[in-house]
Amino acid sequence: MTVPQKASRPSPRAARADSPWIRRWSGGSAPRYTLVCLPHAGGTAGFYRSWAALTPPEVELLAIQYPGREDRFEDPEAADMRELVSAVADALGPLLDRPYALFGHSMGSAVAWELAHELTGRGAPGPRRLFASGRAAPGTAVTGDLHRQDDETLSAELVRLGGTDREVLDDPGLRSLVLRAVRHDYRIIETHRPADRPPLACPLHVLTGSADPELGEERSRDRAGGWADLTTARTEVRVFPGDHFYLAPRRREVVAAVLRRLDPSLTTGGAHTWPSTP
């Protein structure tokens, strides 16, 4: 007689991570840290998927999937930064049962900063570290009204920043999908007016490309692009060769630098220099 097998149930943590907002790209059976990654304007959680191969089992790699793209194309988009951050905090809150860090690129860095405040305001533990990439600090970053411009102007901005294949922009169907998400995200970041808040208590690490038109090496020297004023802890800057999307070709170096700051025991290799900003 064959005994019917019971259907396996997902672990409590896996069930909590079963959210349209969360993508879990890596992590062993008992990771010690969680690294939460937030995409750039128009970006997707998949932007960080390649980091999984570079992340040890001690680190659970989570990426946030904003609505209005890929498998969430039909999901309603957030009205503004506050609504976006509140929804991300709702999904992420049950997963903060171990030390965690936030990594945000471009628009994602502003989302990460707002998210850190939202989570601590709810009584959750604050992030162990915050990594801000490719954008000056909220309140100091230059904004415009690109979300109100025509498709040609918006496409030209994507070309200026790099990171979007020309073949995609030359295809009318693909371009329409990309620009819909980009326009929505630009509206959120361009209308974002950060509130006055007390500084965070965690170290802040600023990463940028040497030729990034949004931040760059020269501007990052000025109070770490303004980020040094947003924490009572140490602020450090790391400049990589490249433009706004330096972290694609420099993926291995970026991940190693992040892991080393999260816990020096997680990676091996040559030392990275992070100039400090008082």
Side-chain angles (χ1 to χ4, degrees):
M1 178 179 178
T2 301
V3 179
Q5 299 293 318
K6 292 183 179 180
S8 60
R9 294 182 178 180
S11 68
R13 185 175 184 82
R16 294 197 301 271
D18 186 19
S19 163
W21 291 89
I22 306 289
R23 299 292 177 274
R24 186 176 187 269
W25 295 133
S26 72
S29 58
R32 294 188 288 127
Y33 302 103
T34 296
L35 176 61
V36 181
C37 297
L38 299 117
H40 55 280
T44 68
F47 182 75
Y48 296 103
R49 187 166 193 167
S50 60
W51 287 27
L54 305 172
T55 306
E58 292 92 343
V59 177
E60 179 184 46
L61 178 63
L62 302 180
I64 301 301
Q65 183 77 309
Y66 304 143
R69 65 213 70 200
E70 290 190 338
D71 57 331
R72 300 198 65 195
F73 186 77
E74 300 297 331
D75 290 354
E77 297 164 331
D80 52 27
M81 178 69 81
R82 182 172 182 173
E83 183 176 307
L84 175 66
V85 169
S86 179
V88 173
D90 288 344
L92 195 59
L95 302 174
L96 302 182
D97 54 355
R98 63 173 67 99
Y100 72 96
L102 301 175
F103 182 102
H105 178 61
S106 198
M107 168 183 161
S109 67
V111 178
W113 179 77
E114 290 283 1
L115 181 60
H117 282 286
E118 177 70 16
L119 290 169
T120 54
R122 295 183 180 196
R128 183 183 180 94
R129 296 178 184 272
L130 192 152
F131 298 89
S133 168
R135 186 174 178 83
T140 67
V142 177
T143 59
D145 63 348
L146 282 165
H147 70 284
R148 300 179 184 274
Q149 304 304 312
D150 59 27
D151 286 357
E152 292 303 319
T153 303
L154 201 53
S155 295
E157 174 67 5
L158 298 185
V159 171
R160 182 182 78 93
L161 293 177
T164 305
D165 292 336
R166 289 304 302 257
E167 292 79 5
V168 171
L169 296 176
D170 290 340
D171 183 298
L174 291 177
R175 185 174 77 162
S176 176
L177 294 176
V178 169
L179 292 186
R180 171 186 160 174
V182 170
R183 191 180 302 281
H184 166 262
D185 290 351
Y186 268 54
R187 178 177 58 79
I188 284 182
I189 197 63
E190 289 179 340
T191 60
H192 177 222
R193 301 294 179 265
D196 290 333
R197 294 192 179 93
L200 296 171
C202 65
L204 259 165
H205 306 280
V206 179
L207 302 88
T208 188
S210 56
D212 185 348
E214 293 295 290
L215 183 56
E217 185 170 10
E218 182 177 350
R219 191 176 180 196
S220 68
R221 295 195 190 106
D222 182 13
R223 303 289 297 161
W227 288 102
D229 299 319
L230 301 185
T231 182
T232 57
R234 189 180 182 89
T235 305
E236 298 177 316
V237 178
R238 174 75 198 274
V239 180
F240 295 83
D243 57 18
H244 188 60
F245 286 96
Y246 71 91
L247 66 175
R250 298 285 173 174
R251 180 181 305 115
R252 187 175 298 275
E253 297 169 62
V254 171
V255 174
V258 169
L259 294 175
R260 185 169 286 108
R261 276 298 179 257
L262 186 57
D263 184 331
S265 71
L266 293 174
T267 65
T268 59
H272 293 279
T273 301
W274 292 75
S276 299
T277 299

